[in-house]
């Protein structure tokens, strides 16, 4: 079986783009996705696309054959395959993150977790300082949060955990691609379990756990429910199963004064705040909104080790 060529003429690609733009409009897919995809798979720049000057090029090297691109775009239109999975990458903070259907696509709002963690670490005068030492990203998926922490806290070592070996493989690829692998450690397992030998030693924990109620998952956008891993979405009957677990178990892993920080679903802030208060070992409990004004993040510090 011969491998399909990955070199196309500019005219061929221009024709594909025109058809893809028309089809996107007809199927209620943002036309901007077509050009973003061409930036990634054909190495074109925005000006060449805007002026359509690439049409004159005799050869353009593609990351995948044009026929494959055509079939994948059909899946985007008819099966609602996310465009990030077609390109195999997504932008997140200043990074280009590799993604596959084994991992949740990192959302822009999750970027705020990194800023909140960095500010909390900088404002805490603990000795040793929280900006160094061990930090955990629990349920790392693509590794986006762990990468963000490694970048924002250059004196820290980031311990990234996920139940999925396929997800961990993607996270490790991202760590190597971005030159951050030396300060990151990867573990397969559930939440804190692989880190039991480091109990009480963590400066902080950050997590974007599954928080969608089970009955809500089937009602999500088809791009999400049909293609993204349900393991990273389903948070149980009320969406709080994983968050409850992290609230209960984390104080024995995080040193006094350390940071506990999660993302949650709109409408869960009051319940999470109450759970943190009732647990009894958390202080300075804060709820932070995302850029859309939605209460999406819970931040607090551990007052003492869990009894």
């Amino acid at each position: 079986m011969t491998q399909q060529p990955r070199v196309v003429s500019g005219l061929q690609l221009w024709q594909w783009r025109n058809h893809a733009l028309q089809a996107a409009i007809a199927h209620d897919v943002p036309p901007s996705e077509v050009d973003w995809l061409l930036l990634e798979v054909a190495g074109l720049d925005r000006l060449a696309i805007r002026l359509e000057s690439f049409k004159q090029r005799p050869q353009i090297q593609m990351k995948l054959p044009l026929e494959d691109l055509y079939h994948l775009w059909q899946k985007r239109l008819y099966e609602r395959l996310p465009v990030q999975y077609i390109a195999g990458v997504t932008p997140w903070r200043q990074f280009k993150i590799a993604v596959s259907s084994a991992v949740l696509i990192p959302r822009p709002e999750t970027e705020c977790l990194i800023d909140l963690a960095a500010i909390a670490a900088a404002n805490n005068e603990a000795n040793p300082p929280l900006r160094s030492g061990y930090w955990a990203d629990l349920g790392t998926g693509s590794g986006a949060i762990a990468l963000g922490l490694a970048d924002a806290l250059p004196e820290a070592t980031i311990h990234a955990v996920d139940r999925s070996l396929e997800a961990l493989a993607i996270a490790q690829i991202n760590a190597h691609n971005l030159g951050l692998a030396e300060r990151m450690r990867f573990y397969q397992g559930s939440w804190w379990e692989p880190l039991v030998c480091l109990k009480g030693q963590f400066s902080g924990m950050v997590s974007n756990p599954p928080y969608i109620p089970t009955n809500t998952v089937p009602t999500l956008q088809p791009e999400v429910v049909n293609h993204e891993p349900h393991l990273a979405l389903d948070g149980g009957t009320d969406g709080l199963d994983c968050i409850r677990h992290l609230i209960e178990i984390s104080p024995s892993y995080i040193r006094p004064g350390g940071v506990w920080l999660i993302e949650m679903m709109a409408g869960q802030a009051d319940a999470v705040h109450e759970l943190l208060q009732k647990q009894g070992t958390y202080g300075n409990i804060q709820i932070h909104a995302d850029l859309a004004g939605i209460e999406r993040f819970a931040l607090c510090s551990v007052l003492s080790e869990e009894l």
Side-chain angles (χ1 to χ4, degrees), residues 89-211:
V89 294
T90 191
W92 198 79
R93 288 180 75 84
Q94 74 271 34
F95 307 129
K96 185 179 287 188
I97 303 282
V99 293
S100 78
S101 57
V103 301
L104 201 69
I105 297 165
R107 272 47 174 188
E109 56 267 24
T110 303
E111 296 181 14
C112 296
L113 281 173
I114 308 304
D115 299 318
L116 289 169
I119 292 168
N123 290 343
N124 189 301
E125 297 180 359
N127 188 18
L130 294 184
R131 60 181 177 271
S132 61
Y134 297 153
W135 281 72
D137 171 21
L138 304 182
T140 193
S142 66
I145 291 172
L147 294 162
L149 289 173
D151 179 66
L153 303 170
E155 299 174 50
T157 301
I158 315 302
H159 299 259
V161 178
D162 205 284
R163 285 173 59 184
S164 166
L165 284 172
E166 293 85 355
L168 283 173
I170 295 289
Q172 288 175 294
I173 287 169
N174 282 320
H176 284 286
N177 287 347
L178 297 169
L180 295 168
E182 285 189 5
R183 291 192 296 106
M184 300 175 70
R185 308 288 181 267
F186 297 90
Y187 307 82
Q188 193 270 330
S190 178
W191 306 118
W192 285 108
E193 286 176 9
L195 305 175
V196 67
C197 63
L198 298 173
K199 269 192 173 187
Q201 298 182 43
F202 283 87
S203 298
M205 177 220 81
V206 183
S207 182
N208 180 14
Y211 51 65

Side-chain angles (χ1 to χ4, degrees), residues 95 112 126 151-152 190 196 202 227 231 234 236 241 255-257 277 304:
F95 307 129
C112 296
D151 179 66
S190 178
V196 67
F202 283 87
H227 298 284
L231 182 67
D234 192 335
D241 283 3
R255 60 188 177 87
Q277 277 189 321
S304 62

Side-chain angles (χ1 to χ4, degrees), residues 241-302:
D241 283 3
C242 299
I243 293 174
R244 281 192 192 89
H245 177 75
L246 290 173
I247 288 173
E248 287 303 315
I249 200 74
S250 296
S252 63
Y253 286 83
I254 302 172
R255 60 188 177 87
V259 174
W260 187 95
L261 172 61
I262 64 152
E263 180 175 323
M264 58 193 166
M265 183 178 174
Q268 292 177 338
D270 289 345
V272 172
H273 192 283
E274 184 178 351
L275 287 167
L276 287 164
Q277 277 189 321
K278 283 186 174 179
Q279 206 280 339
T281 51
Y282 296 99
N284 193 24
I285 302 169
Q286 304 169 26
I287 302 297
H288 292 270
D290 62 17
L291 295 178
I294 298 169
E295 292 184 326
R296 191 172 292 279
F297 311 105
L299 169 68
C300 58
S301 56
V302 174

